[in-house]
Amino acid sequence: MKNNQKYTGLEIAIIGVACRLPGAGNWREYWNNLVNGTSSIQVLTDQELLAAGVDEKTIRQPNFVKAKASLKGKELFDAAFFDYLPGEARLMNPVHRIFHECVWEALEDAGYNPEQMNELISLYAGAGDDLNWRISALQQNQQQDIDNFTLDLISSKEHLTTLISYKLNLKGPSLFVNTACSTSLTAVNMACKSLLLGEANMALAGGVTIGTQQRDGYLHQEGMIFSSDGHCRAFDKDASGTVNSEGAGVVLLKRLSDALNDGDQIYAVIKGTALNNDGNRKVGYTAPSVEGQAACIRTAHKFARVEPDSISYIETHGTGTRLGDPIEIEALNIAFNRNKAHRCAIGSVKSNIGHSDNTAGIAGLIKAALSLKYKTIPPSLDYKTPNPGIDFENGPFYVNTSLQSWERSGDAPLRAGVSSFGIGGTNAHAILEEAPEADPGDAGRPYKLLTLSARTEAALGRYADLLKNFLQQEPATDPANLAYTLQAGRKHFTYRKAVLYKDTEELLALLESGKLKEQVTKSKDNANAVVFLFSGQGSQYAGMGKDLYEAEPVFREYLDKGFAIVQTLTGEDFKNIVFNDTTGRINETKFAQPVIFLLEYALAQLLLSWGIVPQQMIGHSIGEYVAACISGIFSFEDALKIVVQRGALMNSLPGGTMLSVPLKEEEARIYLDENIFLAAVNGPEQVVFSGETPAIEALKARLDEADISHITLHTSHAFHSGMQDPILEAFREVLASVTFGKMQLPFISNLTGKEITAAEATTPAYWVRHLRETVRFSDGVKTLLALKEDWTFLEVGAGQSLVALLKQQPARVRPVAFNLLRPAKEKENDLKYLTVRIGQLWQQGLTFDWKGYYRFEKRNRISLPTYAFEKVSYPAEVNPFDNDLVRELYALDPQPQQAAAAQVEEQPVVPVKRAERPDLPTSYIPPATNAEERLKGIFERFFGIDDIGVEDDFFELGGDSLKGMVLLKRIKNEFNVELSLKDFFGMQTIRQIGANIDELNLLPVSEQVITRKTITI
């Protein structure tokens, strides 16, 4: 059934979701807990409390509540992923750690990588104050492991959003929000406004609350917010409050029109939001207000342009307090005009997870969005009998206590409201609507390419398991959208694995086999240094590229265009010759050369449309015309005219023979005479002779006598020999009739074996000599390898003859080379063959334009498991208040900060396991001097990395200017010297620094007998 959805143009789509909440590490686990009616509030036994350090006297107090709602794994953080040092991560506030990962997960869930986007992404979020952590961090940092400025950045909540914006390259507005309990829904309101005002293309909004004091039960106080029994019984007569909780949540938002155009997944649509404050319309600052809440909800209705009776569910603030619950329902009754004819369910997620403070609003919003997505209303827990102070009789509301299928009324869309009210009176309300029906898209290519990547091989293996589990739960996942999302919507890391599949069933079988964890490739840093290799005559065969022609529109477009031009020039149907002829006409020179040019040019254009642009090109004989055309020397039409005439002229000559022989060029020259010519030097010990057939037959006999092997090539004529002399003048006239263009891309000359100059490439004489003289392919490859050893070579044509020649070259670095179109003997589907090569190239590190790759498909981003972060443990729960002095100071001054920290005993440092040596451009070189040995220890302790070598660069290890200041201070303390930052960029290794120290013969303080000196590093 179609929805009767009418849009105002002010709608905002929720396209990405991430959360960490009690009992749930992601939104799928959260939703599963909600629909199963799971309470994530843990009831503690006496044994658990005693083991946690709660004294028996406290446990036995009658008002002690044995319950807590905590976040599992809050001590875990992948610091290296976000380029933090272990020492920084240890002192970083857990709200920062958790929120870094949540923001990344929300972006991945939506299928966006901010590092590859030009669009502006804004971030609005808040977190609770945490004096406990800040004091502990000051204590832990008494040895100045990091500078105080950096410590403030990573331990104070105010830097939460801007620090993440810096780390993730978010270039839209970045604002910290704090309205107490309504913070995160307030952040959503601000994010929506940012989008509507055009300040950003996408916006992240959310909140985080992490308790850094050990939470194992609490003392109930009558009249306060926390309940007497460890349950949040929202709206029930036995309600006595809520349970303190923690967690984080983020949503990624986008204007609905943009989300629909971009094929984004949409969880739900935000029709409108509203904010206000109670003012003094209440009994006290911390009390709620009927008038304030009702006005906020009505404003949201008005902005969304919806009638209250079109809303059938409200995710309430629902704290379970005796004062708050009745006021909230009274405000809702007013906002809904006390319409008893309407029925509207209400619920409170606090009954599941407790009150997560700054995160509460976003937790409710995510619950409502998922309810709309799945058209299901989860039960609100621990409700049995209504609070007698709540006026349920004179309004539309009822507490939903069971899992309920959410049905539309006619064709009207489902709608929900979400409330979040903060201490201090900031009220926030949002109106949500179910998402419009998504365009399912098309089936796409028959062969899909899965691309998995991670920063470490272990993380890639973990992600493969996550994907396997996901597909087991979601077997109907669209296989093409899955591939598209991972390719176009995720960052591509160093360790990579690509695999071909046709459908989800096949992919799941591969995942279950464990094969995706095998033979993981570490990508190259400079894989985009691509060379196109264009093969020459002899590579052609009937039916080559036929599957690509049928499957790839760009390839088909250029072939069809070329076939039409060639038919005009020759009157021949070249398409039929290539794909359907079985008489062997494709091997005649007049057909072979235009066909080879066309196929290679079309394949090159396909690669260019996918973002693969060569830095160099080299062709073999006729293949050089493709390079020249791609470079801009010839237009497509002129190049075809030349190639057709070239082939026809050659075809008009008497037949001849060509012979491939494993000889060095100087060895081959002794066999040359007026009838035998050196047609090509293809390798260090690979040449081709060319000439009249009787002369070549005589040469074979001589080679046999010398026990030298040889292979007769399948050619009709003796190319690049004196037999071509009769056509040279006619060919010169053909070249004189075309207009040469400006060279845009460099390529290597067959004639010289060097980079061609513009003057050479635009002269008819060059191309005449090119037809007649020796193909110096081997010299051309040597030139390329002299320019750069680690090219990525792509044979853009049928077969792999040039890849084979390339591998004959002696090289210090084994060349990475792939052919893209199958040889004649391999009976494989062309598209499958090419897609496998595309996967291999991606594994090597080649960058693709995935939008170009999917240009002719209708693809959608979908929600998939997010990155498998490394689970490195850092302190999360600390207790700096373990002596009388701190407790006294804290009682007098709620923010003692450094004054208190300076007078307390240093807290024990929780050891953090060092990381293994990372992949660096330098090899490990051990220290050779005493100074280098001590510097190595300083570097390793500072970076938290083992096996740092004396030639490893400070910046390659993850250093920056701020970290440099701290490191210099440690070096100064170790060697008792005054160090400056001058010339630091020129001396960035242990060896360079150690050389300065050794030169001045400086010793540590314990051995110092000379006066203090200043050195510059």
Side-chain angles (χ1 to χ4, degrees):
M1 181 185 295
K2 294 286 185 183
N3 297 346
N4 183 23
Q5 289 168 290
K6 297 179 180 179
Y7 297 123
T8 64
L10 302 177
E11 287 80 9
I12 302 296
I14 301 174
I15 64 171
V17 172
C19 63
R20 308 275 183 89
L21 294 163
N26 55 60
W27 71 257
R28 289 184 175 85
E29 293 178 1
Y30 178 47
W31 177 248
N32 187 62
N33 289 342
L34 293 175
V35 297
N36 288 322
T38 300
S39 173
S40 297
I41 300 172
Q42 182 182 356
V43 178
L44 303 167
T45 65
D46 288 357
Q47 290 75 17
E48 289 172 327
L49 290 165
L50 290 169
V54 182
D55 62 88
E56 189 171 351
K57 181 180 178 181
T58 300
I59 295 173
R60 295 187 181 281
Q61 291 191 49
N63 63 332
F64 182 74
V65 181
K66 304 173 184 180
K68 70 173 182 178
S70 59
L71 184 63
K72 183 179 179 181
K74 65 182 179 181
E75 74 282 1
L76 303 176
F77 179 52
D78 192 347
F81 185 93
F82 299 98
D83 195 28
Y84 290 108
L85 298 175
E88 293 173 326
R90 180 173 60 86
L91 298 173
M92 178 179 281
N93 195 319
V95 300
H96 282 268
R97 300 184 206 146
I98 295 293
F99 208 63
H100 271 69
E101 293 189 352
C102 270
V103 168
W104 183 264
E105 288 170 344
L107 289 162
E108 281 204 337
D109 184 67
Y112 284 99
N113 173 16
E115 295 181 12
Q116 293 182 343
M117 296 174 58
N118 294 321
E119 291 87 347
L120 300 179
I121 303 177
S122 59
L123 174 59
Y124 298 86
D129 195 15
D130 194 349
L131 179 62
N132 183 69
W133 183 266
R134 285 188 285 125
I135 292 178
S136 176
L138 285 166
Q139 292 176 352
Q140 293 282 338
N141 197 42
Q142 287 189 45
Q143 298 302 315
Q144 290 289 290
D145 290 332
I146 62 175
D147 62 279
N148 287 331
F149 182 70
T150 301
L151 180 64
D152 180 62
L153 296 180
I154 63 177
S155 62
S156 300
K157 68 182 189 301
E158 288 81 5
H159 300 289
L160 177 71
T161 55
T162 50
L163 188 56
I164 291 174
S165 292
Y166 167 70
K167 286 292 183 178
L168 301 188
N169 194 33
L170 310 180
K171 298 182 285 288
S174 186
L175 274 74
F176 182 82
V177 181
N178 188 5
T179 60
C181 314
S182 61
T183 291
S184 52
L185 198 59
T186 298
V188 171
N189 170 275
M190 297 176 72
C192 290
K193 291 175 181 175
S194 175
L195 292 171
L196 295 175
L197 290 173
E199 294 178 333
N201 304 95
M202 288 186 278
L204 290 149
V208 55
T209 298
I210 302 295
T212 60
Q213 293 175 306
Q214 192 167 10
R215 295 180 175 182
D216 294 287
Y218 59 90
L219 292 170
H220 169 70
Q221 296 180 4
E222 189 65 33
M224 299 302 288
I225 191 172
F226 299 122
S227 72
S228 61
D229 60 0
H231 294 278
C232 179
R233 306 178 186 275
F235 312 112
D236 189 86
K237 71 177 183 64
D238 294 326
S240 59
T242 187
V243 176
N244 196 21
S245 182
E246 58 187 346
V250 190
V251 291
L252 181 62
L253 308 177
K254 197 175 192 179
R255 289 180 290 270
L256 176 61
S257 56
D258 293 340
L260 292 172
N261 289 335
D262 294 340
D264 294 322
Q265 63 174 345
I266 301 175
Y267 289 89
V269 175
I270 299 177
K271 292 285 290 182
T273 63
L275 291 176
N276 74 356
N277 193 275
D278 294 333
N280 62 5
R281 296 173 291 182
K282 53 187 180 181
V283 297
Y285 174 75
T286 62
S289 163
V290 171
E291 293 93 334
Q293 292 181 16
C296 179
I297 296 168
R298 279 182 161 170
T299 301
H301 292 166
K302 185 176 181 180
F303 184 89
R305 301 180 191 176
V306 299
E307 294 299 323
D309 59 10
S310 70
I311 298 168
S312 48
Y313 176 70
I314 299 289
E315 175 60 28
T316 65
H317 188 61
T319 55
T321 59
R322 293 191 178 94
L323 177 64
D325 285 0
I327 286 177
E328 182 169 6
I329 299 303
E330 179 62 17
L332 281 168
N333 280 336
I334 293 171
F336 277 67
N337 303 313
R338 301 191 186 278
N339 184 357
K340 293 191 287 183
H342 177 54
R343 298 292 288 161
C344 182
I346 62 171
S348 172
V349 76
K350 293 179 182 66
S351 67
N352 300 85
I353 64 171
H355 193 343
S356 52
D357 194 32
N358 298 77
T359 311
I362 200 69
L365 184 85
I366 293 172
K367 175 187 173 183
L370 294 175
S371 296
L372 287 165
K373 173 181 172 66
Y374 293 109
K375 297 178 174 55
T376 301
I377 302 177
S380 195
L381 307 184
D382 296 319
Y383 176 85
K384 295 180 181 178
T385 306
N387 181 336
I390 297 176
D391 187 10
F392 282 122
E393 295 293 328
N394 293 303
F397 302 104
Y398 68 95
V399 179
N400 182 63
T401 57
S402 61
L403 188 65
Q404 179 185 142
S405 177
W406 198 353
E407 304 291 342
R408 300 189 191 114
S409 176
D411 61 355
L414 299 175
R415 289 185 182 138
V418 182
S419 291
S420 190
F421 308 129
I423 288 177
T426 297
N427 305 306
H429 191 79
I431 307 298
L432 272 59
E433 182 175 281
E434 66 174 310
E437 292 185 7
D439 182 345
D442 52 48
R445 293 175 174 86
Y447 299 100
K448 282 75 176 173
L449 186 67
L450 179 75
T451 52
L452 301 183
S453 73
R455 292 184 74 256
T456 66
E457 190 170 349
L460 192 150
R462 292 195 303 273
Y463 188 80
D465 288 337
L466 289 174
L467 189 60
K468 176 189 69 176
N469 296 336
F470 169 78
L471 291 177
Q472 288 171 341
Q473 298 296 319
E474 303 284 347
T477 300
D478 184 278
N481 287 338
L482 185 152
Y484 170 72
T485 300
L486 291 175
Q487 291 159 356
R490 297 290 175 91
K491 181 176 179 177
H492 298 168
F493 296 96
T494 301
Y495 289 91
R496 301 184 177 191
K497 182 70 175 180
V499 67
L500 195 74
Y501 66 100
K502 295 191 72 173
D503 51 39
T504 306
E505 184 179 0
E506 181 182 2
L507 175 57
L508 183 55
L510 287 167
L511 288 163
E512 289 174 339
S513 73
K515 292 181 179 179
L516 293 189
K517 300 180 185 180
E518 301 172 357
Q519 297 180 331
V520 172
T521 300
K522 183 184 176 185
S523 62
K524 301 194 306 178
D525 291 333
N526 58 341
N528 292 315
V530 169
V531 177
F532 280 2
L533 308 173
F534 298 107
S535 49
Q537 194 164 338
S539 61
Q540 76 280 353
Y541 59 86
M544 62 179 182
K546 185 175 183 180
D547 301 319
L548 276 187
Y549 178 84
E550 294 172 349
E552 293 295 341
V554 171
F555 185 72
R556 183 169 57 250
E557 174 191 348
Y558 282 98
L559 277 183
D560 283 344
K561 183 179 178 182
F563 288 148
I565 294 171
V566 173
Q567 187 160 22
T568 300
L569 292 171
T570 66
E572 294 279 2
D573 183 356
F574 272 67
K575 179 179 177 181
N576 185 62
I577 292 171
V578 175
F579 295 141
N580 301 316
D581 187 79
T582 59
T583 64
R585 298 177 73 199
I586 194 171
N587 294 319
E588 296 179 31
T589 299
K590 65 180 180 179
F591 297 124
Q593 292 193 8
V595 163
I596 291 168
F597 175 89
L598 267 179
L599 179 96
E600 293 177 357
Y601 183 83
L603 186 54
Q605 290 296 336
L606 180 62
L607 297 177
L608 290 168
S609 75
W610 295 346
I612 306 174
V613 179
Q615 292 184 13
Q616 277 285 358
M617 296 179 286
I618 183 171
H620 193 288
S621 190
I622 189 67
E624 189 167 328
Y625 284 87
V626 187
C629 190
I630 296 294
S631 177
I633 299 298
F634 302 121
S635 69
F636 183 49
E637 293 77 8
D638 280 346
L640 277 173
K641 175 183 175 182
I642 295 168
V643 169
V644 166
Q645 290 297 321
R646 186 179 190 267
L649 288 168
M650 287 181 168
N651 199 72
S652 68
L653 294 169
T657 302
M658 301 184 75
L659 193 69
S660 178
V661 184
L663 289 174
K664 295 179 180 178
E665 181 179 354
E666 56 269 26
E667 295 171 341
R669 289 195 175 277
I670 65 175
Y671 296 100
L672 303 182
D673 57 31
E674 67 274 9
N675 294 313
I676 299 176
F677 302 88
L678 187 62
V681 180
N682 288 331
E685 297 183 4
Q686 188 71 47
V687 299
V688 176
F689 293 106
S690 181
E692 296 179 356
T693 300
I696 297 298
E697 289 299 322
L699 174 61
K700 288 182 185 180
R702 291 177 64 188
L703 294 171
D704 288 339
E705 288 178 7
D707 198 24
I708 299 172
S709 62
H710 49 81
I711 298 174
T712 303
L713 301 183
H714 296 290
T715 58
S716 57
H717 294 78
F719 304 127
H720 299 283
S721 75
M723 294 189 71
Q724 306 298 312
D725 290 345
I727 66 170
L728 297 183
E729 191 56 40
F731 188 54
R732 188 188 308 275
E733 293 177 3
V734 174
L735 289 162
S737 69
V738 303
T739 301
F740 291 92
K742 184 178 180 181
M743 187 165 62
Q744 304 293 328
L745 292 173
F747 62 96
I748 303 297
S749 164
N750 278 177
L751 197 59
T752 65
K754 300 177 181 178
E755 282 193 85
I756 198 166
T757 66
E760 289 172 325
T762 55
T763 304
Y766 171 84
W767 296 100
V768 173
R769 291 181 60 201
H770 179 274
L771 181 150
R772 166 64 177 82
E773 297 181 22
T774 303
V775 174
R776 309 202 63 84
F777 183 78
S778 181
D779 287 345
V781 173
K782 290 177 184 176
T783 296
L784 286 168
L785 294 177
L787 291 171
K788 189 189 297 288
E789 288 185 315
D790 49 357
W791 293 103
T792 300
F793 292 93
L794 303 184
E795 184 161 355
V796 185
Q800 52 190 356
S801 59
L802 298 189
V803 167
L805 293 177
L806 178 70
K807 292 179 179 179
Q808 294 179 14
Q809 292 286 339
R812 190 177 65 86
V813 178
R814 181 179 175 84
V816 175
F818 296 94
N819 66 303
L820 303 181
L821 201 60
R822 66 178 176 86
K825 292 182 179 180
E826 291 192 35
K827 306 303 180 184
E828 183 66 270
N829 180 281
D830 296 319
L831 180 62
K832 181 178 181 181
Y833 192 92
L834 176 61
T835 307
V836 169
R837 276 29 181 204
I838 294 302
Q840 292 171 331
L841 287 167
W842 175 82
Q843 286 181 161
Q844 291 294 324
L846 198 65
T847 300
F848 286 83
D849 176 3
W850 294 109
K851 288 185 178 180
Y853 187 77
Y854 288 101
R855 175 182 164 193
F856 297 97
E857 294 184 30
K858 177 64 178 74
R859 297 271 59 84
N860 298 318
R861 290 177 172 83
I862 59 174
S863 175
L864 296 170
T866 54
Y867 188 84
F869 289 113
E870 302 294 337
K871 298 183 181 299
V872 182
S873 181
Y874 298 96
E877 294 181 346
V878 294
N879 182 17
F881 307 104
D882 60 350
N883 62 63
D884 293 336
L885 176 59
V886 173
R887 283 189 288 272
E888 181 180 345
L889 286 169
Y890 183 67
L892 295 173
D893 182 359
Q895 294 188 352
Q897 298 183 10
Q898 297 184 17
Q903 301 179 61
V904 298
E905 297 178 2
E906 183 179 356
Q907 289 285 99
V909 175
V910 179
V912 178
K913 183 180 178 182
R914 284 187 190 172
E916 295 181 359
R917 176 180 170 83
D919 296 311
L920 298 168
T922 50
S923 300
Y924 173 75
I925 299 175
T929 68
N930 180 265
E932 288 180 356
E933 184 69 42
R934 293 206 300 273
L935 286 167
K936 177 177 183 288
I938 294 172
F939 269 63
E940 288 179 344
R941 289 190 297 273
F942 179 75
F943 285 105
I945 296 171
D946 283 332
D947 297 326
I948 293 179
V950 296
E951 293 290 352
D952 295 336
D953 187 275
F954 171 76
F955 294 99
E956 292 285 350
L957 290 165
D960 56 34
S961 57
L962 286 176
K963 293 171 185 174
M965 293 172 65
V966 179
L967 183 63
L968 291 177
K969 183 175 182 180
R970 294 189 184 186
I971 295 172
K972 180 183 74 173
N973 292 338
E974 172 70 17
F975 292 96
N976 196 21
V977 293
E978 293 296 333
L979 307 177
S980 74
L981 284 173
K982 184 180 179 182
D983 296 330
F984 185 75
F985 289 98
M987 293 190 179
Q988 304 160 15
T989 68
I990 290 172
R991 174 145 294 169
Q992 292 167 333
I993 300 169
N996 278 266
I997 294 174
D998 286 337
E999 182 179 346
L1000 294 173
N1001 194 29
L1002 297 177
L1003 299 173
V1005 176
S1006 60
E1007 304 173 28
Q1008 184 174 342
V1009 294
I1010 60 175
T1011 57
R1012 180 182 295 249
K1013 298 181 180 181
T1014 300
I1015 67 173
T1016 298
I1017 69 169

